[in-house]
Amino acid sequence: KSRAKLANPNGKKVTFNDVAGLTEEKEELEEVVEFLKNPGRFIKIGARIPKGVLLVGPPGTGKTLLAKAVAGEANVPFFSISGSDFVEMFVGVGAARVRDLFAEAKKHSPCIVFIDEIDAVARRRGSGLGGGHDEREQTLNQMLVEMDGFGVNEGIIMIAATNRVDILDPAILRPGRFDRKVGVGRPDVKGREDILKIHCRQKPLGDDVDLHEIARTTAGFVGADLENLMNEAAIQAARDDRAYIMKEDIDKSFIKVGIGTEKKSRVVP
Ligand code: ATP
């Protein structure tokens, strides 16, 4: 059985409004949204819509969020699976999982199929060290077969995310596969302020909290870090039995989220 999850079927839809900054990225994806909303218009005129879009960028920059927002904007189902879910001990399981995923997606088309950490399965072939890489190659081959097998305008759009485009098998990037690349960068100061605003929508702030100032002092933070920062601050405030967040909570939160310690894992060369 496929491990693909139909993401929060009853939950609140994610839209581009929930994604701060990333203006160019959203513009590039708007085309995909338009297609999913009205495939007929594109098919009639013979336009070829990309089958696969690869989002490339450091962890926590909002790639998953963007993919969900595309599905939300187009109001289509969102299937998500991680590349690491395909990598199994037993030969054949990964490939079977890929087949199931596409069979499921076809039933729900138009839809988005999101593959996080695609590098786990789509690493350059023949570069594996020791056991297990035969299995991965089989899985990758199956994925290529499936992608080539569905028609261009069948209404399934694949979105994949990676922070290691350099190790991907070039076969995956060929025309008709993931032939569209969208870079998702770290936010600049304005981007960080906008992200903070989004994550403070439901959080009352005290007068001494200046989001612009926080944005200035958080160079290098990605969206996931900022979300975490504000969440910790909210927890601090709640523990103090206060109904709003003060600057002091955010200062404490800085220490708690351990800038420079936890962040090491996020730094991408
Ligand atoms: P990974 O590669 O680790 O999966 P990712 O790039 O897919 O990371 P997301 O999972 O989309 O990152 O981001 C994690 C969380 O960080 C989001 O759920 C959201 O709360 C917050 N976030 C990241 N980027 C943004 C953004 N541009 N606007 C608003 N929130 C953001």
Side-chain angles (χ1 to χ4, degrees):
K1 183 168 162 33
S2 156
R3 274 201 203 160
K5 295 181 290 275
L6 191 56
N8 62 328
N10 307 310
K12 199 181 148 283
K13 253 193 317 181
V14 176
T15 68
F16 282 150
N17 257 332
D18 300 304
V19 186
L22 305 179
T23 316
E24 279 172 38
E25 291 85 342
K26 284 192 248 183
E27 263 165 32
E28 290 206 48
L29 291 167
E30 184 60 44
E31 183 186 328
V32 173
V33 172
E34 296 289 321
F35 171 74
L36 289 168
K37 274 192 191 158
N38 194 348
R41 198 168 65 195
F42 291 80
I43 294 166
K44 230 184 286 166
I45 199 161
R48 191 176 67 82
I49 291 297
K51 268 190 201 174
V53 180
L54 187 66
L55 304 178
V56 182
T61 45
K63 299 184 292 299
T64 307
L65 192 66
L66 263 177
K68 277 187 188 158
V70 170
E73 291 283 340
N75 204 13
V76 300
F78 178 82
F79 292 92
S80 114
I81 195 158
S82 171
S84 52
D85 292 342
F86 288 126
V87 183
E88 287 285 324
M89 282 182 295
F90 302 107
V91 173
V93 175
R97 224 164 243 177
V98 170
R99 269 194 302 275
D100 291 345
L101 170 63
F102 280 90
E104 200 61 25
K106 277 177 195 160
K107 277 189 239 158
H108 290 87
S109 120
C111 66
I112 293 282
V113 173
F114 177 66
I115 305 181
D116 203 0
E117 296 180 61
I118 184 124
D119 42 282
V121 55
R123 213 173 273 258
R124 202 169 280 130
R125 280 171 288 188
S127 67
L129 294 172
H133 87 264
D134 281 353
E135 160 60 3
R136 210 195 42 231
E137 286 186 11
Q138 263 198 21
T139 307
L140 173 54
N141 288 336
Q142 188 62 39
M143 192 181 287
L144 298 176
V145 165
E146 293 287 350
M147 278 193 90
D148 294 346
F150 66 81
V152 178
N153 290 326
E154 223 164 297
I156 301 175
I157 304 237
M158 313 263 304
I159 302 182
T162 183
N163 52 2
R164 294 295 311 274
V165 73
D166 55 309
I167 61 168
L168 291 184
D169 194 306
I172 200 110
L173 307 173
R174 251 176 240 150
R177 294 172 180 167
F178 290 97
D179 50 6
R180 191 72 61 94
K181 236 184 278 171
V182 176
V184 183
R186 286 173 189 277
D188 60 9
V189 65
K190 170 81 168 59
R192 292 195 297 277
E193 185 172 349
D194 290 343
I195 292 171
L196 286 164
K197 277 183 193 152
I198 282 186
H199 292 287
C200 290
R201 273 183 195 153
Q202 323 285 348
K203 298 183 176 70
L205 301 176
D207 288 342
D208 63 347
V209 175
D210 179 353
L211 294 184
H212 179 67
E213 181 59 25
I214 300 170
R216 278 188 353 103
T217 53
T218 46
F221 277 47
V222 293
D225 299 326
L226 295 166
E227 194 272 335
N228 193 15
L229 182 75
M230 293 317 296
N231 186 53
E232 281 299 330
I235 290 171
Q236 290 289 342
R239 287 177 63 193
D240 272 2
D241 210 12
R242 232 180 310 105
Y244 58 94
I245 295 171
M246 295 190 343
K247 181 169 185 303
E248 197 191 312
D249 301 317
I250 294 164
D251 292 342
K252 279 189 190 150
S253 164
F254 257 108
I255 296 163
K256 185 107 181 262
V257 300
I259 304 322
T261 50
E262 189 231 34
K263 276 196 71 71
K264 268 194 205 115
S265 60
R266 291 204 163 274
V267 174
V268 168

